[in-house]
Amino acid sequence: MEFKPPRKLDLEGDIRGRTGKLDLEGDIRGNWNKFKQAYEIFITATNRKNSEKEIKAAIFLNLIGEEAVDLFNTFNLTADEKKDIDKIINAFENYIQPRNQTENKTFDVFLKDIKRLADMCEFGTEKENMIRDRVVIGIKNREEQERLLRMPNLNLAEAVDVCRAAEISKLQARTLNNESATDSIVYCYKTQQIYKQIQIW
């Protein structure tokens, strides 16, 4: 019986079949999950589940497609790790995880995540520029994003300073607003108590 291998991993960022240039910034989680499941089924169906890790790694890389292989070649893996299917899958998992700043994630945590992902890839002298670009693209504050895009010759340090300053300002404003709200509540309570005392007298 002949088994059909899984389709290559689609890195277009849209699991609905949109065509166009390669977009590694899109949401490829769904594509990755489908490919990984299909790969596991293929390995099992072809009786290779108990094969050596190097053989399964070769099958995986043969099936995943040229674009994904190019991505794989940027991963900071040792020669032995590049033959280990578990290490390869883990590298893709780490790459594909969300790379935008979520609502509840502070900027410093977001920056730390980006740097950790960058350490996995061999960006060489372009590493800081890649991190800078990811910061600009991924920050949740759209006003600050537009500000960064308008800054000429922006470097990573400048981008980090702007984002941190914006976050601190928002936190301070929120704190002041909360204090004002608390003061108003206390004032209303005291006013009510005074009014009650006047009524008693």
Side-chain angles (χ1 to χ4, degrees):
M1 180 181 295
E2 183 178 352
F3 296 99
K4 184 179 179 181
R7 296 175 59 187
K8 69 176 184 177
L9 175 61
D10 182 7
L11 295 175
E12 293 297 329
D14 190 334
I15 62 176
R16 294 170 296 182
R18 185 182 64 184
T19 58
K21 67 178 182 179
L22 177 63
D23 181 10
L24 293 177
E25 302 300 335
D27 180 13
I28 59 175
R29 168 59 65 178
N31 294 333
W32 165 249
N33 287 338
K34 285 185 176 181
F35 175 84
K36 189 170 65 170
Q37 181 183 34
Y39 163 77
E40 292 292 345
I41 293 172
F42 179 75
I43 288 293
T44 302
T46 55
N47 201 28
R48 294 189 176 100
K49 195 170 182 65
N50 295 322
S51 298
E52 294 182 3
K53 290 185 176 182
E54 184 175 355
I55 294 176
K56 289 194 286 187
I59 295 172
F60 180 91
L61 294 173
N62 182 61
L63 297 174
I64 205 168
E66 290 184 7
E67 293 95 349
V69 170
D70 289 340
L71 173 62
F72 163 76
N73 289 333
T74 69
F75 292 159
N76 189 20
L77 299 175
T78 66
D80 288 338
E81 288 173 338
K82 289 182 178 180
K83 299 176 183 178
D84 187 329
I85 184 61
D86 295 331
K87 298 291 185 182
I88 294 172
I89 288 178
N90 186 60
F92 273 97
E93 288 281 2
N94 288 332
Y95 178 85
I96 289 170
Q97 67 178 316
R99 299 184 300 283
N100 289 340
Q101 184 183 12
T102 57
E103 191 61 33
N104 296 322
K105 182 182 289 187
T106 65
F107 174 75
D108 280 334
V109 172
F110 168 58
L111 180 62
K112 183 179 179 180
D113 289 344
I114 294 175
K115 287 183 175 181
R116 180 173 55 80
L117 290 173
D119 288 339
M120 296 173 52
C121 301
E122 297 177 353
F123 291 136
T125 57
E126 289 298 309
K127 183 176 180 179
E128 282 206 357
N129 289 336
M130 298 297 288
I131 296 174
R132 175 205 60 196
D133 292 347
R134 188 63 250 171
V135 166
V136 175
I137 294 171
I139 57 173
K140 61 186 177 184
N141 189 320
R142 291 295 165 254
E143 292 180 0
E144 293 306 319
Q145 184 183 66
E146 292 176 1
R147 178 184 174 187
L148 292 174
L149 289 171
R150 290 194 298 268
M151 293 177 64
N153 303 319
L154 178 70
N155 59 42
L156 176 59
E158 291 172 337
V160 169
D161 287 343
V162 168
C163 292
R164 281 178 175 161
E167 186 169 81
I168 291 172
S169 296
K170 286 200 169 187
L171 288 173
Q172 289 176 338
R174 189 180 305 166
T175 300
L176 289 173
N177 288 335
N178 289 339
E179 288 177 353
S180 298
T182 302
D183 291 342
S184 298
I185 293 172
V186 171
Y187 175 78
C188 290
Y189 175 77
K190 289 182 176 179
T191 302
Q192 289 175 350
Q193 295 303 311
I194 293 172
Y195 181 71
K196 287 180 180 179
Q197 290 178 0
I198 293 174
Q199 284 184 321
I200 293 174
W201 287 100

